[in-house]
Amino acid sequence: MAWDALDLYTHGLDFFSEVVDAVPVDSWNRASPCAGWTGRDVLGHVGAGTEMGIAILSGKPMTYEAVDPPGSVVPDDPAAWWRDLAAAARTALATVEDLDRVVESPAGPRSVRDGLSFPGVDLFLHGWDLAAATGQKVELPAEAIAFTEQMFTHIPDEVSRQPGVFGPALEAPADASATDRLLSFTGRDPSF
């Protein structure tokens, strides 16, 4: 069964949390597939997106200020910090009754559904980034791959292929897994 944005976000929280829980304590500062970022930076970026998701779900005004490096907001216990954020996001998820409710966002008025889509995709893609940085091997769920592919068929390259979104697509081998094909589409090297 296909996922909607709420399913994607809910399962994304679970996926990302499993990766965070498996990160060895001494691995947070390893380089990630995101140029110039460590695993801690990936977590900081996803944490900021999760805070935005909580605001979307709660109907609160959203603000987003880029922090450089993103990992500078992550305290000494990254896993505990993430668990608290994920718990707050799950609490906010439990209150959602109308995915079509319009809320204000940094991109202007959007439905909750649209507002959760990109942060939901981020949970999976950056979950893979964090896993790759910390020596874990993960495969993305088929439903997350299908949602992401569908979402980006409607977004022009000049929007999606820019710093902070995706790099140029890479060529995936003919025998690549669905995860590796999606990673290649987003400009990530699956063999990182």
Side-chain angles (χ1 to χ4, degrees):
M1 175 183 235
W3 286 351
D4 64 18
L6 192 57
D7 295 326
L8 180 80
Y9 194 76
T10 301
H11 291 292
L13 286 170
D14 295 340
F15 180 85
F16 195 83
S17 294
E18 287 175 16
V19 172
V20 168
D21 287 343
V23 172
V25 175
D26 61 350
S27 297
W28 286 104
N29 293 321
R30 289 184 186 171
S32 81
C34 302
W37 281 6
T38 64
R40 182 180 293 269
D41 291 322
V42 171
L43 179 63
H45 171 75
V46 172
T50 301
E51 289 173 339
M52 193 163 52
I54 292 166
I56 290 168
L57 292 166
S58 304
K60 296 177 182 170
M62 287 177 288
T63 58
Y64 178 77
E65 288 186 37
V67 177
D68 190 26
S72 64
V73 300
V74 179
D76 289 340
D77 189 345
W81 180 76
W82 171 253
R83 281 191 292 276
D84 289 345
L85 268 176
R90 287 185 179 96
T91 298
L93 278 171
T95 68
V96 174
E97 294 177 8
D98 181 7
L99 286 175
D100 295 315
R101 178 173 46 97
V102 175
V103 296
E104 286 300 318
S105 80
R110 306 176 80 181
S111 70
V112 172
R113 177 186 323 279
D114 289 342
L116 285 179
S117 295
F118 202 86
V121 167
D122 258 10
L123 287 166
F124 287 100
L125 293 177
H126 286 311
W128 181 87
D129 293 330
L130 182 57
T134 59
Q136 302 175 56
K137 176 74 174 152
V138 295
E139 292 292 322
L140 304 180
E143 297 88 350
I145 292 169
F147 187 100
T148 305
E149 289 171 343
Q150 177 65 27
M151 182 174 145
F152 281 94
T153 61
H154 304 294
I155 299 176
D157 274 358
E158 59 269 14
V159 173
S160 63
R161 306 266 176 220
Q162 60 177 316
V165 188
F166 296 155
L170 303 175
E171 187 70 32
D175 63 346
S177 69
T179 293
D180 288 355
R181 283 193 304 277
L182 179 64
L183 294 170
S184 295
F185 168 79
T186 67
R188 288 166 167 82
D189 180 357
S191 65
F192 179 88

